[in-house]
């Protein structure tokens, strides 16, 4: 896939996407629920948006719910997560909605930290996908966000690591999940550090084929 991309570029991607859609249509079989998690700056949001278009799946983004809430309350994301650590009722409601979506709806992409650990309707196929990235590259990508302007790469790395550590403690206390990035809990693990957005999409599609077929 990567060799094809380097040789032919975007046109090849569109051909591969069309081939995947045709395969889904002919077989009448799809990967019903794809649960996506990953490290800060790994490219989860962009991948999910593009993957939903390729597969014609609904894309549910848990983090988007939290971002909207932070904006409504005039808080930064870090401030919101600190509040939720002591008052987790809202987070539990959002996670419950996510759970019921995966119980009732197929052809769904769910981007969320605990989505891979939640139950899914046993009648649906499911795939857990983890995106990894080096600390430095993840920080560099996050600096392009308006909320992170003015920070250095080192400051962003420190902030991201602190958030990951706090999440581990938080999910352990709230749900009993020891490590929400435990690779043994994922069907597909991709390191995006040296990959472009197009290359990430192509690699994911390539690894999804066995689950689709």
């Amino acid at each position: 896939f990567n060799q094809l991309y380097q040789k032919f570029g975007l046109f090849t991607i569109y051909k591969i996407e069309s081939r995947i859609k045709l395969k889904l249509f002919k077989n009448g079989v799809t990967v019903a629920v794809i649960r996506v998690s990953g490290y800060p700056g790994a490219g989860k949001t962009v991948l999910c948006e593009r993957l939903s278009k390729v597969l014609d799946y609904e894309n549910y983004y848990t983090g988007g719910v939290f971002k909207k809430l932070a904006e409504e309350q005039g808080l930064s994301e870090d401030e919101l997560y600190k509040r939720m650590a002591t008052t987790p009722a809202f987070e539990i409601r959002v996670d419950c909605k996510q759970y019921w979506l995966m119980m009732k709806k197929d052809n769904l992409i769910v981007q969320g930290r605990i989505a891979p650990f939640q139950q899914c309707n046993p009648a649906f196929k499911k795939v857990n996908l983890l995106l990894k990235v080096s600390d430095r590259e993840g920080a560099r990508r996050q600096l392009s966000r308006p909320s992170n302007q003015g920070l250095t790469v080192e400051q962003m790395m420190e902030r991201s690591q602190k958030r990951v550590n706090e999440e581990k403690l938080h999910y352990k206390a709230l749900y009993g999940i020891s490590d929400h990035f435990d690779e043994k809990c994922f069907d597909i693990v991709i390191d995006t550090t040296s990959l472009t957005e197009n290359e990430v999409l192509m690699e994911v599609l390539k690894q999804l084929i066995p689950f689709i077929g």
Side-chain angles (χ1 to χ4, degrees):
F1 272 67
N2 288 343
Q3 291 176 348
L4 287 173
Y5 169 73
Q6 291 170 3
K7 185 173 182 180
F8 298 109
L10 280 175
F11 180 67
T12 299
I13 294 177
Y14 296 141
K15 287 178 65 178
I16 291 173
E17 290 178 356
S18 299
R19 203 172 301 162
I20 292 289
K21 289 182 179 179
L22 182 61
K23 182 180 181 68
L24 291 172
F25 178 76
K26 283 185 174 180
N27 289 356
V29 177
T30 64
V31 177
V33 180
I34 303 172
R35 291 104 70 90
V36 182
S37 184
Y39 290 82
K44 302 178 293 297
T45 302
V46 172
L47 170 67
C48 290
E49 289 173 351
R50 299 187 67 183
L51 197 59
S52 69
K53 293 177 181 177
V54 173
L55 300 178
D56 293 325
Y57 278 20
E58 179 181 341
N59 181 22
Y60 180 76
Y61 177 30
T62 308
V65 178
F66 294 135
K67 286 181 180 179
K68 183 176 180 180
L69 179 67
E71 291 173 0
E72 290 174 350
Q73 298 189 5
L75 301 173
S76 69
E77 288 184 57
D78 288 338
E79 290 170 335
L80 178 65
Y81 284 118
K82 286 179 182 178
R83 285 195 181 183
M84 289 195 304
T86 55
T87 54
F90 176 80
E91 181 178 3
I92 292 174
R93 287 199 300 272
V94 172
D95 290 338
C96 284
K97 179 182 179 182
Q98 180 174 272
Y99 163 78
W100 283 112
L101 271 176
M102 292 190 292
M103 291 299 289
K104 297 187 295 183
K105 191 174 183 61
D106 60 355
N107 290 1
L108 180 69
I109 296 172
V110 180
Q111 181 188 335
R113 291 285 196 268
I114 71 160
F117 299 88
Q118 290 181 304
Q119 287 187 331
C120 181
N121 190 319
F124 301 158
K125 284 189 174 184
K126 63 180 181 294
V127 177
N128 290 341
L129 168 63
L130 176 69
L131 296 185
K132 299 166 56 178
V133 68
S134 71
D135 292 343
R136 180 166 292 276
E137 177 60 17
R140 187 192 67 78
R141 293 174 184 175
Q142 291 181 85
L143 289 178
S144 64
R145 300 172 186 171
S147 59
N148 295 327
Q149 288 184 355
L151 296 177
T152 65
V153 171
E154 287 71 23
Q155 289 172 326
M156 194 71 248
M157 288 173 61
E158 182 179 353
R159 179 177 292 190
S160 295
Q161 188 57 57
K162 180 180 178 182
R163 179 176 173 183
V164 169
N165 292 337
E166 289 176 346
E167 285 177 348
K168 286 184 177 181
L169 295 174
H170 180 64
Y171 294 134
K172 175 66 174 177
L174 198 60
Y175 296 115
I177 299 171
S178 299
D179 182 3
H180 56 302
F181 291 144
D182 183 354
E183 294 185 19
K184 296 190 297 295
C185 299
F186 293 85
D187 304 294
I188 298 173
V189 179
I190 295 175
D191 189 337
T192 71
T193 302
S194 59
L195 301 179
T196 66
E197 292 176 356
N198 288 333
E199 289 170 335
V200 172
L201 175 64
M202 294 174 71
E203 183 63 27
V204 169
L205 289 174
K206 180 176 71 173
Q207 294 199 39
L208 275 176
I209 288 176
F211 296 96
I212 294 171

